Amino acid sequence: MRVNIHNVNLVISAVKPAQYPNTNMPEIALAGRSNVGKSSLINKVLNRKSLARVSGTPGKTITINFYNVDNQLMLVDLPGYGYAERSKKEIESWGSMINSYLEGRPQLCQVVQLVDSRHKPSREDKAMQEWIQECCAYSVVFATKCDKLSKTQLAKNLEMIADELSLRDGDILIPFSVKQNECVDHFWEYVEGCVLEEEEEG
């Protein structure tokens, strides 16, 4: 791989645009429900045990976390959405925080959505996908926790997810499990093939 995942660091945990890193690196933002496994995915693809904090309590990520990957790419972990046991004020604050990043960050080149492969996408998942389809050239969805399903059930659920999210020709839907190392290869194949090469051509 061209990206050295041994050269990674958490740059900052930001809550407002003034705190965002001043870099020109392309950014891939990870979006998903609070319990979908974003932190676990980050740790897996970066070969770390606890770079991103994994909590047993959903809704703990309340900042936008910027991870510098080999000075070539920034992975951006957005606060999880859809966790109902937070106050209305907190939920509105998180929504404003996410919108400020998504709508005002020129370095953002793709939003990767994570959904749970075992369940039908939620209303919030569908709303996020609508935003991605409006603002990105194509959609990228990782269906997490796929090791918990049989091959037959996974294939059926992937079709259901694609239908529920109204994915189009050219959109990307990839099953992902932290227990399967080939899923890491799939992640970096996407990143290097679809993001870094586009940046080089641009």
Side-chain angles (χ1 to χ4, degrees), residues 8 56 106:
V8 177

Side-chain angles (χ1 to χ4, degrees), residues 23 30 44 50 69 74-75 99 123 132 147 155 177 191 199:
T23 73
L30 304 177
K44 182 66 176 180
S50 57
V69 184
M74 200 79 75
L75 285 184
N99 287 337
R123 176 175 56 84
I132 293 172
D147 60 285
S177 167
V191 170
E199 288 293 317

Side-chain angles (χ1 to χ4, degrees), residues 16-73:
K16 55 186 178 181
Q19 298 173 330
Y20 298 167
N22 183 19
T23 73
N24 293 319
M25 286 183 284
E27 295 181 1
I28 297 177
L30 304 177
R33 289 178 61 84
S34 298
N35 59 350
V36 77
K38 286 190 289 89
S39 296
S40 295
L41 180 144
I42 290 171
N43 287 331
K44 182 66 176 180
V45 301
L46 296 179
N47 195 27
R48 298 293 198 277
K49 290 185 177 180
S50 57
L51 181 65
R53 295 181 180 178
V54 180
S55 173
T57 303
K60 284 293 186 180
T61 301
I62 56 175
T63 56
I64 299 177
N65 299 323
F66 292 79
Y67 298 92
N68 181 340
V69 184
D70 198 29
N71 294 318
Q72 295 192 59
L73 169 74

Side-chain angles (χ1 to χ4, degrees), residues 41-132:
L41 180 144
I42 290 171
N43 287 331
K44 182 66 176 180
V45 301
L46 296 179
N47 195 27
R48 298 293 198 277
K49 290 185 177 180
S50 57
L51 181 65
R53 295 181 180 178
V54 180
S55 173
T57 303
K60 284 293 186 180
T61 301
I62 56 175
T63 56
I64 299 177
N65 299 323
F66 292 79
Y67 298 92
N68 181 340
V69 184
D70 198 29
N71 294 318
Q72 295 192 59
L73 169 74
M74 200 79 75
L75 285 184
V76 182
D77 183 14
L78 299 177
Y81 54 76
Y83 187 56
E85 292 188 22
R86 291 287 180 174
S87 70
K88 182 177 180 180
K89 184 176 181 180
E90 285 179 308
I91 293 172
E92 290 176 350
S93 176
W94 293 357
S96 176
M97 187 190 309
I98 293 172
N99 287 337
S100 294
Y101 172 79
L102 294 177
E103 296 177 359
R105 186 65 169 168
Q107 293 91 330
L108 176 63
C109 61
Q110 183 67 48
V111 179
V112 172
Q113 184 176 22
L114 276 63
V115 298
D116 192 323
S117 64
R118 302 169 297 175
H119 306 300
K120 181 181 293 187
S122 67
R123 176 175 56 84
E124 293 89 354
D125 288 327
K126 293 178 181 179
M128 175 57 72
Q129 181 57 213
E130 289 177 1
W131 187 95
I132 293 172

Side-chain angles (χ1 to χ4, degrees), residues 130-144:
E130 289 177 1
W131 187 95
I132 293 172
Q133 292 188 10
E134 289 180 3
C135 300
C136 299
Y138 56 88
S139 298
V140 181
V141 179
F142 278 78
T144 63

